[in-house]
């Protein structure tokens, strides 16, 4: 018998807003990334997308982002009628992935995903590519220029399949730089930010901050900032580096 392939399914959602259950899904897109016999990860299959009836009106401010109209989804299936077959396919994926996966996980609950593990390509990009000018899906697309990415299949932006397709190229390269286990571990933690986000030290690396300034970030409302400030405090006490991942980290 052929061994079951290792597949990570990248997904992207377009929604009516960011806070379920007040908001609902109006489109889901997916693209698989699979481990090849060569030991390299590559995109697998054609991927796809489905429109979904969100069960409520799509606000104009949201239509202006993804351009999905109420009439486009009026006859589409409901979320619970399509979610499981996309999120838990056969052969079963070893994980799901998304860019800023915390957003997708609000709608793709453990019940719908059969308790899947998640990779957040945004959090992994912070670790692997800290020199990027920004870490959005599209900035990484044009800063990195991933090999094999078809420009037209990755358009239009803010539609579910094109965004999943672009994210899959980031994931492929991350899996080929670090292990699956390492990406999953990074994804379980808050984001480790390479640079300060705001204030008089905006844009500086965390190692450049004096002790008093760093202390001020330890109680920040943003969990990514708190996590990063604590990591820098640990580094100054003899822990690891904040920023680019070490070779030992990548082999985990």
């Amino acid at each position: 018998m052929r061994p079951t392939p290792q597949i990570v399914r990248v997904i992207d959602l377009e929604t009516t807003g960011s806070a379920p259950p007040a908001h609902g899904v109006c489109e889901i897109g997916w693209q698989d990334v699979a481990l090849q016999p060569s030991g390299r990860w590559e995109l697998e299959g054609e991927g796809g997308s489905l429109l979904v009836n969100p069960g409520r009106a799509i606000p104009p401010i949201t239509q202006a982002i993804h351009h999905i109209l109420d009439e486009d989804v009026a006859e589409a299936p409901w979320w619970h009628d399509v979610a499981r077959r996309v999120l838990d396919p056969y052969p079963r994926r070893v994980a799901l992935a998304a860019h800023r996966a915390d957003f997708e996980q609000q709608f793709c609950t453990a019940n719908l995903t059969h308790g899947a593990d998640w990779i957040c390509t945004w959090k992994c990009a912070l670790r692997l590519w800290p020199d990027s000018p920004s870490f959005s899906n599209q900035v990484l697309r044009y800063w990195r220029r991933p090999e094999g990415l078809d420009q037209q299949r990755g358009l239009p932006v803010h539609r579910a399949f094109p965004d999943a397709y672009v994210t899959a190229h980031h994931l492929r390269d991350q899996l080929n730089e670090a292990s699956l286990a390492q990406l999953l571990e990074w994804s379980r933690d808050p984001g480790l930010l390479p640079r300060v986000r705001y204030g008089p030290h905006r844009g500086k690396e965390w190692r450049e901050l004096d002790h008093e300034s760093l202390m001020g970030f330890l109680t920040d409302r943003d969990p990514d900032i708190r996590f990063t400030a604590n990591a820098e405090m640990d580094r100054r006490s003899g822990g690891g580096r904040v920023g680019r991942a070490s070779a030992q980290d990548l082999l985990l």
Side-chain angles (χ1 to χ4, degrees):
M1 293 180 61
R2 293 180 60 189
T4 302
Q6 289 198 57
I7 294 172
V8 179
R9 173 155 287 189
V10 178
I11 67 160
D12 184 84
L13 300 181
E14 302 303 330
T15 67
T16 64
S18 60
H23 299 124
V25 176
C26 50
E27 187 178 37
I28 182 170
W30 65 93
Q31 173 67 60
D32 290 339
V33 179
L35 182 63
Q36 305 299 313
S38 65
R40 301 283 293 175
W41 292 83
E42 300 292 348
L43 270 66
E44 182 92 355
E46 292 299 307
S49 65
L50 288 169
L51 289 170
V52 179
N53 189 327
R56 68 217 74 195
I58 305 172
I61 195 168
T62 310
Q63 291 180 0
I65 296 171
H66 50 53
H67 304 287
I68 299 172
L69 308 179
D70 292 328
E71 50 265 40
D72 296 331
V73 296
E75 302 300 322
W78 304 103
W79 175 235
H80 284 272
D81 292 334
V82 302
R84 282 188 179 87
R85 73 173 186 259
V86 175
L87 298 171
D88 190 21
Y90 181 84
R92 192 165 186 229
R93 70 287 174 275
V94 296
L96 292 168
H99 202 72
R100 287 194 173 269
D102 288 349
F103 175 80
E104 268 74 13
Q105 285 180 268
Q106 293 182 95
F107 298 90
C108 303
T109 61
N111 181 51
L112 295 175
T113 67
H114 205 87
D117 290 323
W118 284 81
I119 294 172
C120 177
T121 53
W122 175 76
K123 290 179 181 178
C124 295
L126 298 173
R127 304 270 194 160
L128 291 170
W129 308 315
D131 297 331
S132 177
S134 176
F135 297 92
S136 73
N137 204 30
Q138 299 301 325
V139 170
L140 287 169
R141 168 190 190 160
Y142 292 109
W143 182 72
R144 298 184 54 248
R145 297 295 180 101
E147 182 179 352
L149 193 157
D150 183 288
Q151 177 75 355
Q152 293 309 308
R153 277 179 69 76
L155 294 172
V157 174
H158 299 309
R159 288 301 299 265
F161 171 73
D163 283 1
Y165 173 76
V166 171
T167 302
H169 284 79
H170 300 322
L171 176 67
R172 175 202 64 189
D173 296 344
Q174 291 171 351
L175 285 164
N176 287 327
E177 287 190 43
S179 68
L180 174 65
Q182 179 65 87
L183 299 190
L184 288 168
E185 180 177 312
W186 286 339
S187 299
R188 285 189 286 267
D189 287 333
L192 187 69
L193 307 171
R195 297 175 292 276
V196 179
R197 276 181 171 167
Y198 68 86
H201 299 290
R202 182 179 179 180
K204 289 184 179 179
E205 292 192 10
W206 292 87
R207 61 176 54 225
E208 298 180 70
L209 271 59
D210 59 64
H211 182 74
E212 183 177 352
S213 297
L214 181 61
M215 289 288 290
F217 287 110
L218 294 177
T219 56
D220 195 274
R221 294 177 60 185
D222 187 319
D224 299 324
I225 291 176
R226 292 198 307 273
F227 178 76
T228 305
N230 275 285
E232 174 60 16
M233 291 292 287
D234 290 345
R235 186 195 69 81
R236 295 181 186 190
S237 302
R241 184 185 189 279
V242 174
R244 194 180 306 279
S246 68
Q248 183 175 358
D249 287 337
L250 299 179
L251 292 172
L252 178 63

